[in-house]
Amino acid sequence: MSKNKQEDILEAAMQLFAERGYDGTTIPMIADKAKVGAGTIYRYFDNKESLVNSLFVKCVTQFSDILNSEFPGNSGDVREQFSHIFYRMFQFAKHNPYALLFIDSHCMGYYLNEESNKVYDDFLAFIIGAIEKGQERGAIRQLPSNALIAIVYGAFIMLFKMEQAGALENTGQLLEELEESCWNAVRII
Amino acid sequence: MSKNKQEDILEAAMQLFAERGYDGTTIPMIADKAKVGAGTIYRYFDNKESLVNSLFVKCVTQFSDILNSEFPGNSGDVREQFSHIFYRMFQFAKHNPYALLFIDSHCMGYYLNEESNKVYDDFLAFIIGAIEKGQERGAIRQLPSNALIAIVYGAFIMLFKMEQAGALENTGQLLEELEESCWNAVRII
Amino acid sequence: MSKNKQEDILEAAMQLFAERGYDGTTIPMIADKAKVGAGTIYRYFDNKESLVNSLFVKCVTQFSDILNSEFPGNSGDVREQFSHIFYRMFQFAKHNPYALLFIDSHCMGYYLNEESNKVYDDFLAFIIGAIEKGQERGAIRQLPSNALIAIVYGAFIMLFKMEQAGALENTGQLLEELEESCWNAVRII
Amino acid sequence: MSKNKQEDILEAAMQLFAERGYDGTTIPMIADKAKVGAGTIYRYFDNKESLVNSLFVKCVTQFSDILNSEFPGNSGDVREQFSHIFYRMFQFAKHNPYALLFIDSHCMGYYLNEESNKVYDDFLAFIIGAIEKGQERGAIRQLPSNALIAIVYGAFIMLFKMEQAGALENTGQLLEELEESCWNAVRII
DNA sequence: TATGAATGAGACTTCATTCAT
DNA sequence: GATGAATGAAGTCTCATTCAT
């Protein structure tokens, strides 16, 4: 018996949304997994859409916080900054696999409201900012920053999905190699 | 007025699935867009699941065919093979944007049957094969082939989504740069 | 098997609404009585509220048409006009008892839309008009026309309910007496 | 802050039932208006049906008491008795508008129990008794007593509703005229 | 005594699927 | 072959009622 039913509901919803998508997940499914009555969900969230948006904001915020925390801003060099972001992304993925899958599969959903979209855009903006700083210093290729994000974030997401699917076993050794690969994609050679 | 209702249905379903997902798309939506009666869909497909699987196999096969056709197999060198695959992926994306979005967002669906999963695995296997050949020849980094796929394919998908979202304008010039970036990620430097 | 399911639904809804009220009547109840599937109701009406409003407009219009038809307008004298309205009201009540009970118990409902309210107001306006004409000719007491309507219509409705409840048996003889009673209430004595 | 929560609950329920009907009123609505917790209602009433029946009995009893008190029984003449009942009805309506609306709209409810129905029948019986006495004395028309009640009570209720709806402003002058109108309806002319 | 969080039955409504035309 | 009216299972959501605090 958990003390916090709202947490239980969010956790259950996150796993189910990540696995089956928003429309493929029913309120009774969430209630069962969270071990609460179906009606209880409506004490904490106005409706299903409100639930998915609350959850989305929460997950993106967590992800963003991980990347931001201890970020070697002005002081650190570009290589170091890249490394920080890359490893923090994998750290988040490791500890919050469902959150990441949920974010990735729902970030374009027609049910997201303005706030959700803004939070997601802000999250991307942080990475874009770091990249553009790196470009100014001449360490990163002169490509549109959105393209650079796409390469690194896209590769990261796919690597994570592969690992989730059991097609890849992630060791510390491999992670270092992947980090170097991705760095090679964006740095000036 | 199309001659082939089955084609109309598949095309309508592809667009809707790509935009709203399998569970977020209803049969009446598909019938409306395809300009056929809802019952007509059941003359061509046993049910909704059968439709999404038929469509998935069709799209993956098309994608695979594009990559395979004129592939510089044993003759070509590794750099050339990589280039072929990369440009062909973008070519497919350009001409079949919905197909690619549909594949990407449905390739893990709980509703996919054995055949669909096999076709998708075979598609990945083709790329894996090319990569492993490249590794044997010493041109590509010694990472798990799944990891290498993930990096290139993940970057590609994300780039394409960015372009779809209007966050990136793809010119011939940019494409060449992106190709080089991705190559840098997997080649031995 | 009726040819017209929409009619069946309206008829079933009318009886149930009249007996149990709008909120006390469920869609499955209506579907059962109309011998259609619950979903069928939604092919003909957007939702429950739309159903009750359609029904209300239909019933009031029928009632209004009965009173209007063959109304001895400018030609007839006031006594004759009163008689016409009174007997037509009872005629409608006899042939459409549920319609009248439905109108009476739902005319103040919070679920009625603008159109419904307008149709009801127009219906009352017709009677008010007849009364005011009678007053101008000096045959009817100088009371607010709304008060006169209230007396006659209120008495009529209550008489009808009594009859419905089995507390009163309406014969032709009695009807004539009641008509005279009500006339006495509004005429100048 | 009222001393008596039971009173608060009954008052809140009366207003809501009068405005939205039994089925259109929820327990939380009543609790909110009464400023008590939803659970508190169940300390005073077994369930919603018990509440509506308690309330109905209370309201009808109040109404009946008003009509009975100081009733000019054997002594008074028929005209005086009629006058008493008529003015007392309006007095009750003025001081307890919600009670009257509630009685009128719920007196046929499927949820009323035996006691409620008996109390209501007894109430009508009192008026019937007075009427029949008047008939014996030759002052009132020889119509079924239920018909006479219906005319007077029906007219009264409708007049009251008109006033509530703002379609009629009740002055002392008008009231006297209405009383005479109604008397004309039932007396022998 | 009073509360309101929690529940689940049942409400309204949607939609995959069937079938008479 | 093609249609869309009809269906009822299942979805989202509400609310009468209970019970731990």
Side-chain angles (χ1 to χ4, degrees):
Chain A
M1 191 76 52
S2 158
K3 250 178 282 176
N4 196 334
K5 284 182 193 291
Q6 182 162 9
E7 281 299 321
D8 295 349
I9 292 164
L10 285 167
E11 180 67 26
M14 185 174 66
Q15 293 186 21
L16 286 163
F17 286 155
E19 282 167 352
R20 305 179 50 94
Y22 174 72
D23 288 298
T25 301
T26 71
I27 294 288
M29 280 179 199
I30 297 170
D32 281 358
K33 190 180 264 273
K35 288 180 185 158
V36 300
T40 303
I41 293 174
Y42 290 87
R43 289 201 66 74
Y44 294 101
F45 304 96
D46 284 345
N47 47 44
K48 196 183 172 187
E49 222 170 279
S50 170
L51 167 57
V52 78
N53 277 286
S54 293
L55 183 60
F56 188 80
V57 168
K58 185 192 168 201
C59 289
V60 172
T61 303
Q62 279 182 349
F63 196 6
S64 182
D65 286 348
I66 292 283
L67 298 199
N68 270 288
S69 104
E70 303 174 39
F71 181 69
N74 297 330
S75 57
D77 73 354
V78 177
R79 185 70 189 83
E80 196 185 342
Q81 289 176 351
F82 180 88
S83 205
H84 172 92
I85 289 180
F86 190 88
Y87 285 117
R88 288 295 173 104
M89 288 200 303
F90 270 93
Q91 179 191 330
F92 180 77
K94 188 175 175 184
H95 295 332
N96 310 278
Y98 288 116
L100 189 58
L101 288 173
F102 167 70
I103 291 172
D104 182 57
S105 56
H106 290 73
C107 62
M108 292 297 172
Y110 60 88
Y111 34 75
L112 291 189
N113 62 20
E114 219 174 314
E115 189 199 358
S116 292
N117 285 318
K118 175 163 174 25
V119 168
Y120 188 66
D121 289 345
D122 288 350
F123 164 68
L124 292 185
F126 165 71
I127 313 185
I128 290 177
I131 285 170
E132 290 179 344
K133 286 238 181 70
Q135 287 179 315
E136 285 164 19
R137 297 198 207 168
I140 290 187
R141 293 181 66 144
Q142 289 300 329
L143 294 174
S145 46
N146 277 330
L148 295 166
I149 282 192
I151 291 171
V152 177
Y153 187 64
F156 158 69
I157 285 286
M158 193 62 69
L159 284 166
F160 166 65
K161 285 187 193 169
M162 284 271 181
E163 192 190 340
Q164 282 299 109
L168 203 61
E169 200 180 352
N170 215 335
T171 62
Q173 166 68 23
L174 176 58
L175 198 54
E176 282 182 35
E177 302 244 36
L178 294 174
E179 195 267 349
E180 198 185 338
S181 270
C182 288
W183 172 246
N184 285 338
V186 298
R187 72 164 164 140
I188 290 176
I189 295 182
Chain B
M1 204 68 51
S2 159
K3 261 174 274 171
N4 195 332
K5 283 180 193 293
Q6 181 162 7
E7 280 300 319
D8 294 348
I9 293 165
L10 286 167
E11 179 66 27
M14 185 174 66
Q15 293 187 20
L16 286 163
F17 287 156
E19 282 168 351
R20 306 178 49 93
Y22 173 73
D23 288 297
T25 301
T26 71
I27 295 287
M29 280 181 200
I30 298 170
D32 280 358
K33 192 180 262 274
K35 289 179 183 157
V36 300
T40 304
I41 292 175
Y42 289 85
R43 294 204 70 76
Y44 294 101
F45 305 96
D46 285 346
N47 49 42
K48 195 183 174 188
E49 221 170 280
S50 168
L51 167 57
V52 77
N53 277 286
S54 293
L55 183 61
F56 188 80
V57 168
K58 185 192 168 201
C59 289
V60 172
T61 302
Q62 279 182 348
F63 196 6
S64 182
D65 287 349
I66 292 283
L67 299 199
N68 269 288
S69 106
E70 304 173 39
F71 182 69
N74 296 330
S75 57
D77 73 354
V78 176
R79 185 71 188 80
E80 194 184 345
Q81 289 177 349
F82 180 87
S83 202
H84 173 91
I85 289 180
F86 190 87
Y87 285 116
R88 287 295 172 105
M89 288 200 300
F90 270 91
Q91 180 190 329
F92 181 76
K94 188 176 177 183
H95 295 333
N96 310 278
Y98 289 116
L100 189 56
L101 288 174
F102 167 69
I103 291 172
D104 182 57
S105 56
H106 290 73
C107 64
M108 292 297 173
Y110 61 88
Y111 35 76
L112 292 189
N113 61 20
E114 218 173 316
E115 190 200 356
S116 291
N117 284 318
K118 177 164 174 21
V119 169
Y120 189 67
D121 289 345
D122 289 350
F123 163 68
L124 292 184
F126 163 72
I127 312 185
I128 291 175
I131 284 170
E132 290 180 343
K133 286 238 178 74
Q135 287 179 315
E136 284 165 19
R137 297 198 208 168
I140 290 186
R141 294 181 65 144
Q142 289 299 328
L143 295 173
S145 45
N146 277 329
L148 296 166
I149 283 191
I151 292 171
V152 177
Y153 186 64
F156 157 69
I157 285 285
M158 194 62 71
L159 284 166
F160 166 65
K161 285 186 191 170
M162 285 272 181
E163 193 190 340
Q164 283 298 112
L168 203 61
E169 200 181 352
N170 216 334
T171 62
Q173 166 68 22
L174 177 58
L175 198 54
E176 279 182 36
E177 301 242 40
L178 295 174
E179 195 266 350
E180 198 185 338
S181 269
C182 288
W183 171 246
N184 284 339
V186 298
R187 72 164 164 141
I188 290 175
I189 295 183
Chain C
M1 191 77 51
S2 158
K3 251 178 282 175
N4 197 334
K5 282 180 194 293
Q6 183 163 6
E7 282 299 321
D8 296 348
I9 292 165
L10 285 168
E11 180 67 27
M14 186 175 65
Q15 294 186 22
L16 286 163
F17 286 155
E19 284 167 350
R20 306 178 51 94
Y22 174 72
D23 288 299
T25 301
T26 71
I27 294 288
M29 281 180 197
I30 297 170
D32 281 357
K33 189 179 263 273
K35 288 180 186 157
V36 300
T40 303
I41 293 175
Y42 290 87
R43 289 201 65 74
Y44 294 101
F45 304 96
D46 284 345
N47 47 45
K48 196 184 173 187
E49 221 170 280
S50 170
L51 167 57
V52 78
N53 278 286
S54 292
L55 184 60
F56 188 81
V57 168
K58 185 192 168 202
C59 289
V60 172
T61 303
Q62 279 183 349
F63 196 5
S64 181
D65 287 349
I66 292 284
L67 298 198
N68 270 288
S69 106
E70 302 172 39
F71 181 69
N74 296 329
S75 56
D77 71 355
V78 176
R79 184 70 187 85
E80 195 185 342
Q81 288 175 351
F82 180 87
S83 203
H84 173 92
I85 289 179
F86 190 88
Y87 284 117
R88 286 296 172 105
M89 288 200 301
F90 270 92
Q91 179 190 329
F92 180 77
K94 187 175 176 184
H95 295 332
N96 309 280
Y98 288 116
L100 189 57
L101 288 173
F102 168 69
I103 291 172
D104 182 57
S105 56
H106 290 71
C107 63
M108 294 296 173
Y110 61 88
Y111 34 76
L112 291 189
N113 62 20
E114 218 174 315
E115 190 200 357
S116 292
N117 285 317
K118 177 165 174 24
V119 168
Y120 189 66
D121 289 344
D122 289 350
F123 164 68
L124 291 184
F126 163 73
I127 312 184
I128 290 176
I131 285 170
E132 290 181 343
K133 285 238 180 70
Q135 288 178 316
E136 286 165 19
R137 296 197 208 169
I140 290 187
R141 293 183 65 148
Q142 289 300 328
L143 295 173
S145 46
N146 277 330
L148 295 166
I149 281 191
I151 291 171
V152 177
Y153 187 63
F156 158 69
I157 285 285
M158 194 62 72
L159 284 165
F160 166 66
K161 285 186 192 169
M162 284 274 183
E163 192 190 341
Q164 281 300 110
L168 203 59
E169 199 180 351
N170 215 336
T171 62
Q173 166 67 23
L174 176 58
L175 198 54
E176 281 181 35
E177 303 243 38
L178 294 174
E179 195 266 351
E180 199 185 337
S181 269
C182 288
W183 171 246
N184 285 337
V186 298
R187 72 163 164 143
I188 290 175
I189 293 181
Chain D
M1 202 68 50
S2 159
K3 260 175 275 168
N4 196 334
K5 283 181 194 291
Q6 182 162 7
E7 280 301 320
D8 295 348
I9 293 164
L10 285 167
E11 179 66 25
M14 186 175 65
Q15 294 186 23
L16 287 163
F17 286 156
E19 282 169 351
R20 306 179 49 93
Y22 173 72
D23 289 296
T25 301
T26 70
I27 294 287
M29 281 180 199
I30 297 170
D32 280 358
K33 191 181 261 277
K35 290 180 185 159
V36 300
T40 304
I41 292 176
Y42 288 85
R43 295 203 70 75
Y44 294 101
F45 304 96
D46 285 345
N47 48 43
K48 196 182 172 187
E49 222 171 278
S50 169
L51 167 57
V52 77
N53 278 286
S54 294
L55 182 61
F56 188 80
V57 168
K58 184 192 169 201
C59 289
V60 172
T61 302
Q62 279 183 349
F63 196 6
S64 181
D65 287 349
I66 292 283
L67 298 198
N68 270 289
S69 104
E70 303 173 40
F71 182 68
N74 296 330
S75 57
D77 74 352
V78 176
R79 183 72 187 84
E80 195 185 345
Q81 289 176 351
F82 180 87
S83 202
H84 172 91
I85 290 180
F86 190 87
Y87 285 116
R88 287 296 173 105
M89 287 200 302
F90 270 92
Q91 180 189 329
F92 181 76
K94 188 175 176 184
H95 295 334
N96 309 278
Y98 288 117
L100 188 57
L101 288 174
F102 167 68
I103 291 172
D104 183 56
S105 56
H106 290 72
C107 64
M108 294 296 174
Y110 61 88
Y111 34 76
L112 291 189
N113 60 22
E114 219 174 315
E115 189 199 358
S116 291
N117 285 319
K118 178 167 173 20
V119 168
Y120 188 66
D121 289 346
D122 289 350
F123 163 68
L124 293 184
F126 163 72
I127 313 184
I128 290 177
I131 285 171
E132 290 180 343
K133 286 236 180 72
Q135 287 178 316
E136 284 164 19
R137 297 197 206 165
I140 290 187
R141 294 182 66 144
Q142 289 300 329
L143 294 174
S145 46
N146 277 331
L148 296 166
I149 282 191
I151 290 172
V152 177
Y153 187 63
F156 157 69
I157 285 285
M158 194 63 70
L159 284 166
F160 167 66
K161 284 186 193 170
M162 284 273 182
E163 193 190 341
Q164 283 298 111
L168 204 60
E169 201 180 350
N170 216 335
T171 63
Q173 166 68 21
L174 177 59
L175 199 54
E176 280 181 36
E177 301 244 38
L178 295 174
E179 195 267 349
E180 196 185 340
S181 269
C182 288
W183 171 247
N184 285 338
V186 298
R187 72 164 164 140
I188 289 175
I189 294 182

PDB file of all heavy atoms in Angstrom, chain C residues 153-167:
ATOM      1  N   TYR C 153     -54.793  27.072 -18.379  1.00  0.00           N
ATOM      2  CA  TYR C 153     -53.848  26.003 -18.717  1.00  0.00           C
ATOM      3  C   TYR C 153     -53.509  25.188 -17.473  1.00  0.00           C
ATOM      4  O   TYR C 153     -53.413  23.948 -17.530  1.00  0.00           O
ATOM      5  CB  TYR C 153     -52.591  26.616 -19.332  1.00  0.00           C
ATOM      6  CG  TYR C 153     -51.616  25.614 -19.866  1.00  0.00           C
ATOM      7  CD1 TYR C 153     -51.969  24.778 -20.922  1.00  0.00           C
ATOM      8  CD2 TYR C 153     -50.338  25.493 -19.313  1.00  0.00           C
ATOM      9  CE1 TYR C 153     -51.069  23.850 -21.411  1.00  0.00           C
ATOM     10  CE2 TYR C 153     -49.438  24.571 -19.799  1.00  0.00           C
ATOM     11  CZ  TYR C 153     -49.803  23.755 -20.846  1.00  0.00           C
ATOM     12  OH  TYR C 153     -48.918  22.833 -21.321  1.00  0.00           O
ATOM     13  N   GLY C 154     -53.347  25.852 -16.360  1.00  0.00           N
ATOM     14  CA  GLY C 154     -53.057  25.159 -15.108  1.00  0.00           C
ATOM     15  C   GLY C 154     -54.182  24.215 -14.722  1.00  0.00           C
ATOM     16  O   GLY C 154     -53.947  23.060 -14.353  1.00  0.00           O
ATOM     17  N   ALA C 155     -55.389  24.693 -14.829  1.00  0.00           N
ATOM     18  CA  ALA C 155     -56.542  23.840 -14.519  1.00  0.00           C
ATOM     19  C   ALA C 155     -56.586  22.647 -15.471  1.00  0.00           C
ATOM     20  O   ALA C 155     -56.798  21.503 -15.048  1.00  0.00           O
ATOM     21  CB  ALA C 155     -57.825  24.654 -14.622  1.00  0.00           C
ATOM     22  N   PHE C 156     -56.373  22.942 -16.736  1.00  0.00           N
ATOM     23  CA  PHE C 156     -56.405  21.883 -17.744  1.00  0.00           C
ATOM     24  C   PHE C 156     -55.365  20.791 -17.450  1.00  0.00           C
ATOM     25  O   PHE C 156     -55.672  19.594 -17.438  1.00  0.00           O
ATOM     26  CB  PHE C 156     -56.169  22.501 -19.121  1.00  0.00           C
ATOM     27  CG  PHE C 156     -55.665  21.534 -20.140  1.00  0.00           C
ATOM     28  CD1 PHE C 156     -56.469  20.515 -20.627  1.00  0.00           C
ATOM     29  CD2 PHE C 156     -54.361  21.632 -20.608  1.00  0.00           C
ATOM     30  CE1 PHE C 156     -55.987  19.612 -21.560  1.00  0.00           C
ATOM     31  CE2 PHE C 156     -53.873  20.737 -21.547  1.00  0.00           C
ATOM     32  CZ  PHE C 156     -54.690  19.727 -22.024  1.00  0.00           C
ATOM     33  N   ILE C 157     -54.147  21.229 -17.206  1.00  0.00           N
ATOM     34  CA  ILE C 157     -53.082  20.262 -16.958  1.00  0.00           C
ATOM     35  C   ILE C 157     -53.408  19.404 -15.734  1.00  0.00           C
ATOM     36  O   ILE C 157     -53.239  18.182 -15.734  1.00  0.00           O
ATOM     37  CB  ILE C 157     -51.736  20.996 -16.734  1.00  0.00           C
ATOM     38  CG1 ILE C 157     -51.179  21.514 -18.052  1.00  0.00           C
ATOM     39  CG2 ILE C 157     -50.719  20.089 -16.050  1.00  0.00           C
ATOM     40  CD1 ILE C 157     -50.584  20.450 -18.935  1.00  0.00           C
ATOM     41  N   MET C 158     -53.880  20.035 -14.703  1.00  0.00           N
ATOM     42  CA  MET C 158     -54.157  19.287 -13.481  1.00  0.00           C
ATOM     43  C   MET C 158     -55.317  18.321 -13.681  1.00  0.00           C
ATOM     44  O   MET C 158     -55.281  17.195 -13.193  1.00  0.00           O
ATOM     45  CB  MET C 158     -54.454  20.273 -12.340  1.00  0.00           C
ATOM     46  CG  MET C 158     -54.421  19.653 -10.965  1.00  0.00           C
ATOM     47  SD  MET C 158     -52.796  18.981 -10.516  1.00  0.00           S
ATOM     48  CE  MET C 158     -51.870  20.485 -10.270  1.00  0.00           C
ATOM     49  N   LEU C 159     -56.322  18.756 -14.418  1.00  0.00           N
ATOM     50  CA  LEU C 159     -57.436  17.860 -14.727  1.00  0.00           C
ATOM     51  C   LEU C 159     -56.939  16.644 -15.499  1.00  0.00           C
ATOM     52  O   LEU C 159     -57.318  15.497 -15.222  1.00  0.00           O
ATOM     53  CB  LEU C 159     -58.484  18.604 -15.569  1.00  0.00           C
ATOM     54  CG  LEU C 159     -59.374  19.588 -14.803  1.00  0.00           C
ATOM     55  CD1 LEU C 159     -60.106  20.511 -15.764  1.00  0.00           C
ATOM     56  CD2 LEU C 159     -60.364  18.823 -13.913  1.00  0.00           C
ATOM     57  N   PHE C 160     -56.082  16.914 -16.452  1.00  0.00           N
ATOM     58  CA  PHE C 160     -55.555  15.814 -17.253  1.00  0.00           C
ATOM     59  C   PHE C 160     -54.742  14.837 -16.395  1.00  0.00           C
ATOM     60  O   PHE C 160     -54.866  13.614 -16.516  1.00  0.00           O
ATOM     61  CB  PHE C 160     -54.698  16.385 -18.382  1.00  0.00           C
ATOM     62  CG  PHE C 160     -53.865  15.362 -19.054  1.00  0.00           C
ATOM     63  CD1 PHE C 160     -54.445  14.342 -19.780  1.00  0.00           C
ATOM     64  CD2 PHE C 160     -52.480  15.404 -18.931  1.00  0.00           C
ATOM     65  CE1 PHE C 160     -53.660  13.383 -20.391  1.00  0.00           C
ATOM     66  CE2 PHE C 160     -51.700  14.451 -19.543  1.00  0.00           C
ATOM     67  CZ  PHE C 160     -52.285  13.436 -20.271  1.00  0.00           C
ATOM     68  N   LYS C 161     -53.922  15.398 -15.507  1.00  0.00           N
ATOM     69  CA  LYS C 161     -53.133  14.521 -14.643  1.00  0.00           C
ATOM     70  C   LYS C 161     -54.024  13.679 -13.743  1.00  0.00           C
ATOM     71  O   LYS C 161     -53.740  12.498 -13.493  1.00  0.00           O
ATOM     72  CB  LYS C 161     -52.177  15.355 -13.781  1.00  0.00           C
ATOM     73  CG  LYS C 161     -50.969  15.899 -14.521  1.00  0.00           C
ATOM     74  CD  LYS C 161     -50.027  16.577 -13.527  1.00  0.00           C
ATOM     75  CE  LYS C 161     -48.957  17.389 -14.226  1.00  0.00           C
ATOM     76  NZ  LYS C 161     -48.220  18.240 -13.273  1.00  0.00           N
ATOM     77  N   MET C 162     -55.077  14.297 -13.232  1.00  0.00           N
ATOM     78  CA  MET C 162     -56.032  13.553 -12.400  1.00  0.00           C
ATOM     79  C   MET C 162     -56.614  12.377 -13.186  1.00  0.00           C
ATOM     80  O   MET C 162     -56.726  11.265 -12.689  1.00  0.00           O
ATOM     81  CB  MET C 162     -57.177  14.478 -11.973  1.00  0.00           C
ATOM     82  CG  MET C 162     -56.817  15.451 -10.881  1.00  0.00           C
ATOM     83  SD  MET C 162     -57.019  14.688  -9.270  1.00  0.00           S
ATOM     84  CE  MET C 162     -56.619  16.072  -8.191  1.00  0.00           C
ATOM     85  N   GLU C 163     -56.983  12.669 -14.417  1.00  0.00           N
ATOM     86  CA  GLU C 163     -57.555  11.622 -15.251  1.00  0.00           C
ATOM     87  C   GLU C 163     -56.531  10.512 -15.473  1.00  0.00           C
ATOM     88  O   GLU C 163     -56.840   9.321 -15.383  1.00  0.00           O
ATOM     89  CB  GLU C 163     -57.992  12.237 -16.578  1.00  0.00           C
ATOM     90  CG  GLU C 163     -58.860  11.315 -17.412  1.00  0.00           C
ATOM     91  CD  GLU C 163     -59.052  11.879 -18.809  1.00  0.00           C
ATOM     92  OE1 GLU C 163     -58.826  13.095 -19.003  1.00  0.00           O
ATOM     93  OE2 GLU C 163     -59.399  11.087 -19.698  1.00  0.00           O
ATOM     94  N   GLN C 164     -55.314  10.933 -15.774  1.00  0.00           N
ATOM     95  CA  GLN C 164     -54.243   9.945 -15.987  1.00  0.00           C
ATOM     96  C   GLN C 164     -54.057   9.079 -14.759  1.00  0.00           C
ATOM     97  O   GLN C 164     -53.819   7.876 -14.859  1.00  0.00           O
ATOM     98  CB  GLN C 164     -52.920  10.679 -16.267  1.00  0.00           C
ATOM     99  CG  GLN C 164     -52.762  11.189 -17.669  1.00  0.00           C
ATOM    100  CD  GLN C 164     -52.805  10.084 -18.697  1.00  0.00           C
ATOM    101  OE1 GLN C 164     -53.762   9.988 -19.451  1.00  0.00           O
ATOM    102  NE2 GLN C 164     -51.802   9.222 -18.714  1.00  0.00           N
ATOM    103  N   ALA C 165     -54.136   9.721 -13.582  1.00  0.00           N
ATOM    104  CA  ALA C 165     -53.930   8.990 -12.332  1.00  0.00           C
ATOM    105  C   ALA C 165     -55.136   8.134 -11.970  1.00  0.00           C
ATOM    106  O   ALA C 165     -55.117   7.425 -10.971  1.00  0.00           O
ATOM    107  CB  ALA C 165     -53.620   9.974 -11.206  1.00  0.00           C
ATOM    108  N   GLY C 166     -56.165   8.205 -12.795  1.00  0.00           N
ATOM    109  CA  GLY C 166     -57.346   7.384 -12.527  1.00  0.00           C
ATOM    110  C   GLY C 166     -58.292   7.989 -11.505  1.00  0.00           C
ATOM    111  O   GLY C 166     -59.247   7.343 -11.068  1.00  0.00           O
ATOM    112  N   ALA C 167     -58.049   9.240 -11.144  1.00  0.00           N
ATOM    113  CA  ALA C 167     -58.884   9.867 -10.122  1.00  0.00           C
ATOM    114  C   ALA C 167     -60.083  10.584 -10.728  1.00  0.00           C
ATOM    115  O   ALA C 167     -60.862  11.211 -10.009  1.00  0.00           O
ATOM    116  CB  ALA C 167     -58.047  10.860  -9.315  1.00  0.00           C
TER     117      ALA C 167
END
